[in-house]
Each structure stands twice: as C-alpha cells, then as structure tokens.
C-alpha cells in the first residue's frame, strides 16, 4: 500500500497574513485541488498534516476520504510535519508519498505514473525513491519505499526530505513528466497570481 502524507500545516509566512492553501483557485481552495487529485489516485491511505488554522483546513477537506494529523510544532518547519505524518501511516504501508499542499497542478494521472513506476521497480528489502522530473529539474511529490521511514524520522534539517534523497542517490529513480506546470508551487502573492492566470487560460 502507498500512503500519501500531504503537508498542510505551515504558516505561509511569505504570503503575509493570507493562508495560501485556502486561497481560491479555479473555483475552489488551492489545497483542495491537490488533495482531491491524491484521493482519486491509486494511493491506499491519505493523511493530511494540519497545524496553522487547522480547523479551517479541516472544514475545506471534510468531505474527502482522508485522515488528519495535528502537528503542534508546525512553526518549526516542514520536517516536523513530515515526521508527524509518517508516524501515522498504516502498518500495511510499503511506500510513502510526500506531497506539498501548495502544488495545485499535480494531477491524478501524474501521481499514478509515479506509483506505477514504483510498483514495477520495487524489490522488497531494497530502498527505492521515485522522483518526478521535467527537463532534468526535480519536483514533487516524492515516493519513498518504507525502508527510508527511519531516515525520514531521524533527519534534522527543516527543509523536508532533500537530504534523505541526496544521501541515497543510488536508490533514486527519476520519472520524466509531461508538463512543466507540475513544478509550480505557491510561496508568494506573485506565484499565486501567476498560477491563477494559468488556471484561467487552461
């Protein structure tokens, strides 16, 4: 089983007072687009890690088939949220799909492309990390085999799992994606405006 851990606990500091995950885009909250795509994919479990404005996030996602995990240390960086989510995955979990909540262009077919590559190349007992790329640029989400669970739980840097990927480069499989928009995330109001414009023109 693949368990998806979606990070939705941050304070969106670069956006000012706005919670970027709740901003409207294409007719619904930005976060809802990503979570809906994940829930419709071949993952077997979806965990959303909440923290900042947790109840607002819950309300937006209340109708979707997922579980929430609260991270009381959300203001200490993304890594804390990853760890809280990973700790809660089911015992049947074989792969950990780590998803950033601010990437509305990640769609179900792209997620399934990563999962199918993982399943096809998975060898029990041997670590595997499946990373999406577009023209040599790596993106998200990243799919880790369960062998890396402890590496993820033990690493200290605040910036997520980049160091785990770098330290285990021999286990990395890059999967070429078809659309450069899968690299887009939303950190600033300028990013949000650009992404909004792309949704309008699609």
């Amino acid at each position: 089983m693949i368990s998806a851990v979606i990070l939705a606990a941050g304070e969106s500091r670069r956006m000012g007072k706005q919670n970027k995950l709740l901003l409207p885009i294409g007719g619904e909250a930005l976060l809802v687009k990503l979570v809906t795509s994940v829930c419709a994919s071949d993952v077997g479990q979806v965990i959303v890690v909440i923290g900042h404005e947790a109840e607002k996030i819950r309300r937006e996602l209340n109708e979707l088939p997922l579980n929430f995990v609260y991270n009381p240390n959300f203001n200490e960086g993304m890594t804390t949220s990853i760890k809280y989510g990973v700790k809660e995955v089911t015992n049947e979990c074989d792969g950990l799909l780590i998803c950033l909540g601010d990437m509305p262009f990640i769609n179900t077919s792209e997620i399934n492309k990563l999962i199918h590559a993982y399943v096809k190349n998975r060898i029990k007992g041997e670590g595997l990390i499946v990373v999406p790329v577009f023209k040599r640029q790596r993106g998200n989400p990243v799919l880790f085999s369960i062998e890396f669970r402890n590496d993820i739980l033990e690493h200290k840097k605040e910036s997520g799992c980049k160091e785990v990927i770098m330290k285990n480069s021999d286990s990395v499989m890059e999967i070429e994606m078809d659309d450069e928009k899968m690299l887009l995330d939303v950190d600033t109001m300028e990013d949000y405006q650009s992404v909004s414009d792309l949704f309008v023109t699609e």
Side-chain angles (χ1 to χ4, degrees), residues 1 3 45 47 86 88-94 146:
M1 179 190 291
S3 296
Q45 178 188 32
I47 294 170
V86 167
E88 293 298 318
V89 300
T90 175
N91 290 333
E92 287 79 49
C93 172
D94 180 71
I146 199 66

Side-chain angles (χ1 to χ4, degrees), residues 2-59:
I2 306 299
S3 296
V5 174
I6 301 174
L7 311 179
E11 295 177 274
S12 313
R13 290 174 187 167
R14 281 184 276 177
M15 295 289 286
K17 294 181 180 179
Q18 300 266 27
N19 185 335
K20 64 183 178 183
L21 300 180
L22 299 174
L23 289 172
I25 189 163
E28 58 191 350
L30 188 152
L31 175 64
V32 172
K33 288 206 169 298
L34 181 276
V35 177
T36 301
S37 294
V38 175
C39 288
S41 76
D42 293 337
V43 300
Q45 178 188 32
V46 179
I47 294 170
V48 176
V49 185
I50 54 177
H52 177 61
E53 296 192 332
E55 289 311 310
K56 288 184 179 179
I57 299 289
R58 278 183 192 270
R59 285 197 296 273

Side-chain angles (χ1 to χ4, degrees), residues 85-137:
V86 167
K87 286 175 185 175
E88 293 298 318
V89 300
T90 175
N91 290 333
E92 287 79 49
C93 172
D94 180 71
L96 300 160
L97 184 73
I98 309 298
C99 307
L100 309 182
D102 64 351
M103 302 186 74
F105 283 107
I106 302 295
N107 62 44
T108 299
S109 62
E110 290 170 332
I111 295 166
N112 284 341
K113 188 173 184 178
L114 299 176
I115 293 172
H116 296 165
Y118 176 87
V119 171
K120 183 177 179 181
N121 293 280
R122 174 73 164 128
I123 299 172
K124 287 286 186 182
E126 294 186 15
L128 177 62
I129 303 172
V130 177
V131 180
V133 298
F134 183 83
K135 293 184 177 178
R136 299 185 180 178
Q137 186 174 348

